[in-house]
Amino acid sequence: MDGSEKIVIVSKNNEEQEVEVVTYLNSKDHMNQYFVYSKGEKQPNGDMIIYISKLVSEDGTNKLYEIEDDEEWKNVQVLLKEIANA
């Protein structure tokens, strides 16, 4: 991780981890927001490993949720491809 924006996320087990913000994505209908981040890990070929979670604001706190719905995951992949091709 270099000079990019970093934030601390807290797991369900209250473990803190500093991660690098890659980007935020909004669904086409603007009903959902997604957080794309890196833990500084790389693939064997050198590519950065990224993580994507659904970002939900609950009681004034932002919470991350795993994307479990296949259709929602396909929509997120389309969003990623659009920014990759921009």
Side-chain angles (χ1 to χ4, degrees), residues 63-80:
K63 296 188 178 185
L64 300 176
Y65 292 96
E66 186 176 341
I67 302 168
E68 297 178 348
D69 180 75
D70 288 340
E71 190 63 31
E72 184 176 16
W73 181 242
K74 286 178 189 174
N75 290 333
V76 170
Q77 288 175 318
V78 167
L79 295 172
L80 284 172

Side-chain angles (χ1 to χ4, degrees), residues 9-26:
I9 59 174
V10 181
S11 72
K12 292 178 185 177
N13 302 332
N14 285 329
E15 295 175 5
E16 293 184 356
Q17 181 172 25
E18 186 177 68
V19 299
E20 181 179 329
V21 176
V22 174
T23 192
Y24 294 90
L25 301 171
N26 288 307

Side-chain angles (χ1 to χ4, degrees), residues 9-65:
I9 59 174
V10 181
S11 72
K12 292 178 185 177
N13 302 332
N14 285 329
E15 295 175 5
E16 293 184 356
Q17 181 172 25
E18 186 177 68
V19 299
E20 181 179 329
V21 176
V22 174
T23 192
Y24 294 90
L25 301 171
N26 288 307
S27 61
K28 292 198 185 275
D29 61 7
H30 298 285
M31 298 296 291
N32 296 307
Q33 187 175 34
Y34 303 95
F35 176 52
V36 184
Y37 61 99
S38 169
K39 297 179 182 178
E41 304 161 317
K42 297 212 179 245
Q43 298 278 0
N45 67 1
D47 289 346
M48 176 176 42
I49 297 173
I50 62 169
Y51 298 87
I52 305 169
S53 296
K54 187 173 190 174
L55 181 62
V56 178
S57 183
E58 294 178 353
D59 301 322
T61 302
N62 288 330
K63 296 188 178 185
L64 300 176
Y65 292 96

